[in-house]
Amino acid sequence: MDSMTFVLFGGTGDLAKRKIYPALYNLFIEQKMPSSFSIIGLGRRGMSHNDFQESVEESIKEFSRGETTNSFKMVEFIESIRYVQFDATNKEDYKKLLKFVGQREQELNIPENRMFYLSVAPEFFDMIALNIKESGLGSTKGWKRMIIEKPFGHDLISARELNEKLSKAFEEEEIYRIDHYLGKPMVQNLGSLAFTNPILQALWNNKYIANIQITASEIVGVEERAGYYDHTGAIKDMFQNHMLQMLMMTAMHLPKEISAKEVANEKTKVMEALRPLQIEDVATHVIRGQYGPGVLNGENVVGYLHEPGIEETSKNDTFIAARLWIDDDFWYGVPFYIRTGKRMKEKSTRIVVEFKNPLKELYGDQIEDTLPNLLVIEINPNEGMSYVLNSRNPANGKTESIKVDYANDNKDVPEAYELLIHDALRGDSTFFAHWKEVELSWEYVQPILDAFKEQLLPLHSYPSGSYGPEAAHSLLREDGFKWWLDE
Ligand code: BG6
């Protein structure tokens, strides 16, 4: 892997402490970092290199999944870190940074490969990218790449504007848009399941599949993020990005070859085949909810409107369920149901594939009433897979459903951020969101946002600790289905 400089904008922020430094450290101890590298954290405060290094060490000790007791390794890693006081709005600071980066490159005798990681508020994305270009930071003899956090725009127009601006400073191949769901090992595994299992590949279409359900439920509420969340809601916080990315990963067809370009192509095709929603149809296919008070893990919790920082009149959504259709030869007629919400009964990200029962059509009442076959892919917090089949119980002669189960109990799996940063360092963008996918996601979501704005659909209340509003259950019942695994 190429030696490089990792420049972290937002180097004293929460994400940097919790995720980015621990991820870099774990990559380092697993020998997945280049042989020579320099990490430069940027922040507004004045701080010495030493103080900064100490604070990074503390974050690693607190948040790293791996062992942090090897003091020799820790010293070696920490020694690669420097701090630069930096104001993203001040052009002079970019010049100062360029000088510093250049000095470090010379000291370490490493080529001008520069990774810029933007872990800052979204309003700074375009300004930073432009200044990287104008200051000369981006004019390297080696490669330059930019990792950028979500949200990528807040609607279709703003996302397009942002992309337009970023593309003046970076080529699309140089932009790595993080969607941390694409870093979850089981989401990454979705592709491999189809690539490596002919048994699944053969069934992965509308002849055998009745519907697919993608759930990401959370126990946590808005936490301390009222300022961000109250104008974002579940639709922009989760649905537009994570949920649609999981949909693409589930529904994409085998690419010609396994490369970032071909995978992106196949994902784009899924989005292009997605039946667009007209604003007047949104209410038929989308359910919007907001959590009320309730009981979670035996404790009373307040409703959304009584959370700190939330206006009592807020009409923000904390829950979304939707029915989507992919109008291509493989998926025509198969509903995809997506739901995500906060303050739900359990933390679970999972995909349930419900199969049709052609035998039932053939034999009708001659066969007992059996459950449909289900393939359950558990993404988070448990990782695993199970297949629900029917089998005759020799004890009583009855047909019963049985579960063939696989649970990954190896707790030593890399974190999403480790996998993604490692890929970006290697120049592999397979598990990042490419512009076309992001644009098509916003195109799909825009009529939903418009319908919300014009109040064309109700905002259902659901008790904290439940599986969401009743309307989300009716959505499936209308089609003769139900959400599986809700207790
Ligand atoms: C983030 C959202 O992107 O994903 C949060 O902003 C949400 O609101 C989080 O809680 C969920 O991620 P995970 O990995 O815990 O499922």
Side-chain angles (χ1 to χ4, degrees):
M1 195 189 287
D2 304 331
S3 300
M4 56 92 214
T5 303
F6 191 95
V7 183
L8 181 54
F9 294 80
T12 52
D14 203 46
L15 185 76
K17 288 185 188 152
R18 285 173 183 273
K19 300 287 182 190
I20 303 174
Y21 298 125
L24 288 167
Y25 177 73
N26 283 324
L27 290 174
F28 175 70
I29 52 175
E30 291 185 359
Q31 295 174 345
K32 290 179 182 157
M33 286 293 275
S35 52
S36 212
F37 62 91
S38 143
I39 297 174
I40 302 176
L42 311 181
R44 279 167 169 271
R45 271 174 276 158
M47 210 189 311
S48 69
H49 294 306
N50 256 342
D51 287 351
F52 182 63
Q53 290 173 336
E54 270 174 28
S55 77
V56 171
E57 183 170 343
E58 270 168 36
S59 323
I60 293 172
K61 287 191 171 144
E62 187 170 355
F63 297 111
S64 166
R65 76 178 169 90
E67 62 87 24
T68 54
T69 47
N70 185 334
S71 54
F72 180 68
K73 283 273 169 207
M74 182 65 88
V75 169
E76 199 183 335
F77 178 75
I78 291 294
E79 179 40 38
S80 69
I81 299 178
R82 295 290 182 280
Y83 180 75
V84 172
Q85 184 177 11
F86 185 83
D87 171 1
T89 63
N90 181 352
K91 286 191 183 301
E92 287 310 307
D93 279 5
Y94 291 85
K95 299 244 171 68
K96 199 176 77 183
L97 177 62
L98 171 62
K99 205 166 149 213
F100 190 76
V101 170
Q103 271 170 12
R104 286 290 288 155
E105 283 167 347
Q106 282 185 359
E107 269 167 40
L108 297 169
N109 194 19
I110 55 176
E112 294 177 4
N113 296 322
R114 295 175 186 162
M115 175 66 85
F116 301 100
Y117 195 127
L118 273 54
S119 172
V120 293
E123 56 268 28
F124 294 110
F125 290 167
D126 52 349
M127 179 197 291
I128 294 178
L130 192 69
N131 279 301
I132 287 176
K133 181 184 160 102
E134 286 181 351
S135 63
L137 267 165
S139 317
T140 72
K141 292 203 194 80
W143 51 253
K144 69 171 187 304
R145 295 178 195 140
M146 176 173 64
I147 302 181
I148 181 168
E149 283 288 332
K150 69 162 222 191
F152 199 89
H154 51 87
D155 59 11
L156 179 58
I157 292 179
S158 61
R160 280 187 177 145
E161 281 170 3
L162 174 59
N163 199 59
E164 178 82 35
K165 288 182 182 156
L166 296 187
S167 63
K168 295 208 167 91
F170 288 83
E171 301 291 330
E172 172 64 17
E173 300 73 49
E174 296 173 329
I175 304 177
Y176 291 72
R177 296 177 198 80
I178 285 225
D179 183 308
H180 80 280
Y181 270 56
L182 289 177
K184 292 187 188 281
M186 283 307 278
V187 173
Q188 300 199 340
N189 192 16
L190 285 170
S192 321
L193 282 180
F195 302 151
T196 54
N197 296 301
I199 190 172
L200 287 181
Q201 189 50 37
L203 300 176
W204 221 239
N205 57 52
N206 56 6
K207 187 162 176 219
Y208 296 105
I209 292 179
N211 72 76
I212 295 189
Q213 309 177 4
I214 307 178
T215 296
S217 63
E218 294 188 87
I219 291 178
V220 294
V222 60
E223 300 175 288
E224 274 84 52
R225 301 162 78 212
Y228 156 78
Y229 194 78
D230 202 40
H231 61 260
T232 308
I235 186 78
K236 297 186 204 174
D237 185 48
M238 294 288 293
F239 186 93
Q240 179 272 333
N241 38 65
H242 307 322
M243 305 309 285
L244 289 180
Q245 281 292 341
M246 282 199 285
L247 173 88
M248 290 178 231
M249 292 297 289
T250 311
M252 74 173 179
H253 310 314
L254 285 188
K256 280 203 293 267
E257 57 180 35
I258 304 177
S259 68
K261 192 164 162 245
E262 288 305 322
V263 169
N265 245 338
E266 290 305 326
K267 285 167 71 188
T268 302
K269 282 191 205 155
V270 170
M271 290 309 291
E272 283 168 346
L274 209 52
R275 192 182 302 169
L277 271 176
Q278 306 304 322
I279 183 166
E280 58 277 11
D281 296 332
V282 171
T284 314
H285 298 289
V286 178
I287 307 296
R288 210 178 167 223
Q290 186 185 79
Y291 63 82
V295 181
L296 253 169
N297 297 333
E299 274 186 35
N300 289 322
V301 296
V302 297
Y304 182 70
L305 299 179
H306 290 99
E307 294 277 22
I310 303 291
E311 290 284 321
E312 283 198 16
T313 51
S314 170
K315 294 270 176 279
N316 190 33
D317 40 89
T318 63
F319 175 97
I320 295 287
R323 171 173 43 218
L324 299 88
W325 302 95
I326 299 172
D327 288 337
D328 64 13
D329 291 347
F330 285 82
W331 296 116
Y332 189 81
V334 179
F336 283 74
Y337 303 107
I338 289 183
R339 77 178 155 170
T340 180
K342 292 208 181 279
R343 280 288 191 234
M344 291 176 65
K345 179 151 188 200
E346 56 173 340
K347 169 78 182 164
S348 172
T349 305
R350 61 177 175 241
I351 299 171
V352 179
V353 180
E354 176 177 340
F355 290 90
K356 290 181 177 170
N357 189 352
L359 299 178
K360 204 123 200 189
E361 281 158 33
L362 203 60
Y363 299 109
D365 290 343
Q366 291 174 48
I367 56 171
E368 289 168 62
D369 212 13
T370 51
L371 286 181
N373 285 181
L374 302 176
L375 173 68
V376 181
I377 302 166
E378 297 280 357
I379 294 167
N380 189 26
N382 305 317
E383 290 171 4
M385 224 167 3
S386 57
Y387 201 12
V388 179
L389 302 164
N390 292 306
S391 175
R392 200 174 137 94
N393 182 339
N396 57 19
K398 286 202 171 133
T399 305
E400 292 171 354
S401 31
I402 56 159
K403 204 166 161 193
V404 184
D405 232 346
Y406 158 72
N408 180 12
D409 43 22
N410 177 3
K411 290 293 164 226
D412 203 22
V413 280
E415 284 248 341
Y417 273 88
E418 268 171 77
L419 291 171
L420 294 175
I421 292 174
H422 185 232
D423 283 353
L425 292 176
R426 292 186 301 130
D428 180 350
S429 64
T430 309
F431 295 114
F432 289 82
H434 299 91
W435 165 241
K436 202 68 205 149
E437 298 156 25
V438 175
E439 184 180 36
L440 288 164
S441 304
W442 277 119
E443 267 179 29
Y444 182 79
V445 164
Q446 190 59 51
I448 306 181
L449 299 179
D450 296 341
F452 286 3
K453 200 161 163 205
E454 292 183 27
Q455 300 189 10
L456 297 182
L457 60 166
L459 180 65
H460 299 277
S461 178
Y462 61 96
S464 286
S466 70
Y467 279 103
E470 177 47 35
H473 299 287
S474 312
L475 183 75
L476 271 70
R477 227 176 285 129
E478 285 163 15
D479 302 336
F481 299 128
K482 64 171 202 167
W483 292 104
W484 290 103
L485 308 186
D486 289 6
E487 285 150 21

